[in-house]
Amino acid sequence: MPDYHSLTREIQNRIKEDRERHWVNPYAFPDEKIVRRDNQHDRANLWRPAFVRDAEKIMHVPYYNRYSDKTQVYSFYKNDDISRRALHVQLVSRIARNIGNVLGLNENLIEAIALGHDIGHTPFGHAGERILSGLYHDHTGRYFNHNVHSARVLDAIIHRNISLQTLDGILCHNGELELQEYRPEHMSTFVEYDKKLEECYVDETAIGRLTPCTLEGCVMRICDIIAYLGKDRQDATRLHLLSSQAFFAGAIGASNGEIINNLIVNLIENSYGKPYLKMDEEYFAALSQAKKENYEMIYKNDELNRLYDEEIRPMFEELYEELLRQAESGDRDSIFYRHHIDYVNSNNYGGEEDSVPYEEQEKNQLVVDYLASMTDDYFIDLYHYLFPGRKHDVKFTGYFD
């Protein structure tokens, strides 16, 4: 039988009493302290509060549409019942807002971070991310990470004057690194933020040191794990890659529903009214064990990784070199200029006056921007358009195979 945990009667009564007396969480980030690169624009009003503006801006960035055809975990299946990145983003937002609501945090800030956190993700999930980072590093000595690139998309590619607090939450969301306790690190200026971001490009270990500057960012970070942990298992079962009995059922449970509910309950129980988020040791150990199982049984699946190495990697390599050639040629009739540079320029509202025009930035970075922006299908179609007759291809498992 499924085991769904509940908040203790003591904490439930405390929350109800606090709501009756209109308690305000002193650790929630207040709208009036929002910081933008241009604070004269995007001022809050009654119908579009500070972080509502960020959430809406992100949803209207043209790259937001592309979530719907980017791999979450399983790339080579035609199956509408498994998760794409669009659903993952919605699940993170819902779970994080649920926790934020009970804790009395700024839900609009949480939503903005959640909606934007993967907007810079590559096609073909984390395999695509690893491949692209390797190519970028080979050419420049710099590293690519999807969380860093998501912040770049919203701040340096498609300029939308997104707030420091939202960008920082996106930058620091790395859902591969679980912690038992999350404490925000104060940061209030873009000078600090820009330094933090640049370190991730040049120091491979910097990603592991990122900490959000708001409690809302901390909530979203743990919810990234909560959202994918059980859902990836559910998808593996639907694709008949694993049995639902394959997973250890620790304190958090084994099913998607149990994992979401039980982690939410434990986080609220241990974090309500406090300046940090925390799980107790038993739940944290179970989360870490479950994540380890996912890696062993799902993410390191030999067949999936064989296809990434034998087909997707060489396609990335050939596309990277060809697009770099086009970028360096300056040929405005090339695919690179027509489908990427012109696309970015047509969707920009303008950045800082002293910033370098987009197409004059370093060419490898522009190629990385283009490749990361692609959906899975666009990537495959572009490869065959530029390299007709080449041997590499992707064969999908269909509904009736």
Side-chain angles (χ1 to χ4, degrees), residues 32-192:
E32 59 269 20
K33 289 190 177 181
I34 191 170
V35 177
R36 300 189 187 276
R37 290 198 185 272
D38 184 351
N39 287 312
Q40 299 307 308
H41 287 80
D42 302 300
R43 292 182 176 180
N45 53 38
L46 287 174
W47 59 97
R48 291 188 74 203
F51 294 108
V52 168
R53 287 174 175 268
D54 278 3
E56 291 176 349
K57 284 170 176 286
I58 290 167
M59 293 183 76
H60 288 285
V61 166
Y63 288 163
Y64 189 86
N65 286 16
R66 301 186 184 184
Y67 274 137
S68 62
D69 186 40
K70 289 199 178 193
T71 291
Q72 175 60 17
V73 173
Y74 306 98
S75 294
F76 309 110
Y77 294 86
K78 289 183 178 180
N79 191 320
D80 293 335
D81 290 330
I82 62 171
S83 304
R84 306 297 283 174
R85 200 153 293 276
L87 178 58
H88 168 71
V89 166
Q90 289 177 285
L91 292 173
V92 173
S93 179
R94 181 62 267 160
I95 296 166
R97 288 172 62 198
N98 190 1
I99 293 174
N101 175 270
V102 179
L103 295 182
L105 299 177
N106 192 323
E107 284 188 70
N108 291 328
L109 173 54
I110 287 173
E111 181 182 30
I113 297 169
L115 293 178
H117 83 275
D118 273 351
I119 203 164
H121 217 301
T122 59
F124 303 104
H126 287 288
E129 180 179 12
R130 290 191 297 271
I131 294 166
L132 187 55
S133 184
L135 289 167
Y136 187 43
H137 188 261
D138 288 345
H139 283 76
T140 66
R142 291 165 70 83
Y143 298 94
F144 174 92
N145 289 279
H146 80 274
N147 52 316
V148 180
H149 194 67
S150 291
R152 172 174 166 78
V153 167
L154 296 170
D155 190 40
I157 300 179
I158 308 294
H159 300 285
R160 288 297 186 272
N161 200 30
I162 301 295
S163 73
L164 171 67
Q165 290 73 32
T166 296
L167 289 171
D168 178 76
I170 290 169
L171 172 65
C172 298
H173 85 261
N174 195 332
E176 301 307 303
L177 302 172
E178 71 273 17
L179 298 172
Q180 184 177 353
E181 181 177 304
Y182 295 83
R183 287 182 180 267
E185 283 187 0
H186 177 75
M187 183 184 68
S188 59
T189 69
F190 270 103
V191 172
E192 297 167 278

Side-chain angles (χ1 to χ4, degrees), residues 142 148 171 193-203:
R142 291 165 70 83
V148 180
L171 172 65
Y193 167 81
D194 290 339
K195 180 181 178 182
K196 193 174 178 180
L197 183 137
E198 177 60 23
E199 285 176 351
C200 296
Y201 284 108
V202 298
D203 180 354

Side-chain angles (χ1 to χ4, degrees), residues 96-377:
R97 288 172 62 198
N98 190 1
I99 293 174
N101 175 270
V102 179
L103 295 182
L105 299 177
N106 192 323
E107 284 188 70
N108 291 328
L109 173 54
I110 287 173
E111 181 182 30
I113 297 169
L115 293 178
H117 83 275
D118 273 351
I119 203 164
H121 217 301
T122 59
F124 303 104
H126 287 288
E129 180 179 12
R130 290 191 297 271
I131 294 166
L132 187 55
S133 184
L135 289 167
Y136 187 43
H137 188 261
D138 288 345
H139 283 76
T140 66
R142 291 165 70 83
Y143 298 94
F144 174 92
N145 289 279
H146 80 274
N147 52 316
V148 180
H149 194 67
S150 291
R152 172 174 166 78
V153 167
L154 296 170
D155 190 40
I157 300 179
I158 308 294
H159 300 285
R160 288 297 186 272
N161 200 30
I162 301 295
S163 73
L164 171 67
Q165 290 73 32
T166 296
L167 289 171
D168 178 76
I170 290 169
L171 172 65
C172 298
H173 85 261
N174 195 332
E176 301 307 303
L177 302 172
E178 71 273 17
L179 298 172
Q180 184 177 353
E181 181 177 304
Y182 295 83
R183 287 182 180 267
E185 283 187 0
H186 177 75
M187 183 184 68
S188 59
T189 69
F190 270 103
V191 172
E192 297 167 278
Y193 167 81
D194 290 339
K195 180 181 178 182
K196 193 174 178 180
L197 183 137
E198 177 60 23
E199 285 176 351
C200 296
Y201 284 108
V202 298
D203 180 354
E204 191 174 18
T205 67
I207 293 293
R209 298 191 296 271
L210 292 175
T211 303
C213 69
T214 65
L215 199 51
E216 288 80 2
C218 294
V219 168
M220 188 267 140
R221 177 165 159 172
I222 184 60
C223 289
D224 191 25
I225 302 176
I226 296 173
Y228 74 64
L229 197 60
K231 196 70 173 71
D232 292 350
R233 296 172 171 211
Q234 190 177 73
D235 287 347
T237 303
R238 283 176 173 164
L239 292 172
H240 306 293
L241 298 175
L242 292 169
S243 164
S244 59
Q245 282 72 46
F247 300 103
F248 163 76
I252 62 174
S255 71
N256 187 39
E258 288 174 305
I259 289 170
I260 292 172
N261 177 80
N262 297 341
L263 283 171
I264 288 174
V265 165
N266 195 252
L267 280 163
I268 293 171
E269 192 76 44
N270 288 283
S271 310
Y272 185 76
K274 297 173 182 175
Y276 55 80
L277 291 179
K278 186 177 180 180
M279 289 170 275
D280 62 32
E281 291 185 7
E282 183 184 13
Y283 281 70
F284 179 68
L287 179 143
S288 297
Q289 175 63 29
K291 187 163 165 284
K292 180 181 178 183
E293 289 180 357
N294 277 25
Y295 269 88
E296 292 173 349
M297 292 191 276
I298 300 174
Y299 311 140
K300 294 182 180 180
N301 181 286
D302 289 339
E303 179 60 20
L304 288 176
N305 288 323
R306 181 187 66 78
L307 290 170
Y308 288 133
D309 288 337
E310 293 181 2
E311 301 297 336
I312 301 303
R313 182 180 296 279
M315 293 167 80
F316 258 103
E317 291 169 349
E318 292 180 60
L319 280 173
Y320 191 106
E321 296 302 332
E322 172 58 22
L323 293 173
L324 182 59
R325 184 195 68 76
Q326 292 184 14
E328 292 174 337
S329 75
D331 180 6
R332 301 207 69 91
D333 290 327
S334 66
I335 286 289
F336 175 78
Y337 275 87
R338 289 189 291 112
H339 278 240
H340 180 57
I341 298 297
D342 291 347
Y343 181 85
V344 169
N345 288 339
S346 68
N347 283 288
N348 259 330
Y349 296 162
E352 296 181 76
E353 291 182 2
D354 60 349
S355 62
V356 177
Y358 180 69
E359 62 195 82
E360 295 178 18
Q361 295 179 25
E362 201 278 323
K363 300 306 186 219
N364 283 279
Q365 179 64 74
L366 299 182
V367 169
V368 166
D369 291 346
Y370 186 23
L371 284 165
S373 76
M374 296 178 188
T375 64
D376 294 14
D377 284 347

